[in-house]
Amino acid sequence: MNITVFGMGYVGCVTAACLADMGHVVTGVDLQRTKVSLINSGRSPIIEPGLEELIRRGVDAGRLQAVPEANKLGDISLVCVGIPSNENGSLGLGQVERVVAQIGELLRNVDKFHVVVIRSTVLPGTVQNVIPLLLEQTSRKKDGKDFGICMNPEFMRETTAIHDFYHPAFAVIDVATIVLLNELRLCTPA
């Protein structure tokens, strides 16, 4: 499966490297060219035990690459961008909205059903109320018909993130996420 991971910070790097190690073809997207360069040279832009080896294996196998801007989508898009705090302490959704709008623009050229997975930490209701509308406006396509959205929050701890990715303590999922995780071979339906 071809997967596009938007945001190559802590969550995005670990997720992309682990998915590539599982055999998927992964393109990581990040505006910071230093991160892109490090990943493409098989090096990790973050400190996490074992991550650089996973990145190197993925790059060497041709299953992991990074780009500063996506010009097409894989079969699935994962949104892993940071959520900075606003001046008043509330969560700033600007980065998520920017990436979701970019995915919507790229969806215009996609002829099959596409899944958008939100892994960034967002407030309750964002995935149901904000993201579908933005994707529909920018893609000119219909939620549920042309694309689906699911939430798969990350529960990774520093220094054990790779282990946590493969062995999550628990998962918060919906039906669309179960289908996605089954496709990625991260779970099998009971």
Side-chain angles (χ1 to χ4, degrees), residues 3-9 12-13 16-17 20 25-45 55 58-59 62-71:
I3 302 168
T4 309
V5 177
F6 290 85
M8 295 303 286
C13 269
V25 176
V26 182
T27 300
V29 183
D30 201 286
L31 296 175
Q32 294 183 20
R33 293 186 182 273
T34 302
K35 285 183 184 179
V36 169
S37 179
L38 284 168
I39 293 165
N40 288 333
S41 65
R43 297 172 49 214
S44 177
I55 290 173
V59 169
R63 290 191 305 265
L64 178 60
Q65 68 167 339
V67 296
E69 185 176 341
N71 57 18

Side-chain angles (χ1 to χ4, degrees), residues 142-162:
K142 186 75 178 144
D143 180 22
K145 178 182 175 218
D146 302 304
F147 63 86
I149 306 162
C150 62
M151 178 75 191
N152 181 230
E154 58 83 17
F155 296 104
M156 294 182 207
R157 299 165 292 168
E158 290 185 23
T159 73
T160 63
I162 294 168

Side-chain angles (χ1 to χ4, degrees), residues 16 30 50 53 56-57 67 78 85 99 106 115 143 150 158 165 168 177:
D30 201 286
E53 175 59 30
R56 186 177 305 112
R57 277 202 312 251
V67 296
L78 283 80
S85 295
V99 166
L106 293 169
V115 177
D143 180 22
C150 62
E158 290 185 23
F165 179 87
T177 305

Side-chain angles (χ1 to χ4, degrees), residues 85-103:
S85 295
N86 292 322
E87 286 183 23
N88 66 1
S90 65
L91 293 180
L93 295 178
Q95 290 184 52
V96 168
E97 290 170 341
R98 178 187 55 78
V99 166
V100 168
Q102 182 183 9
I103 292 170

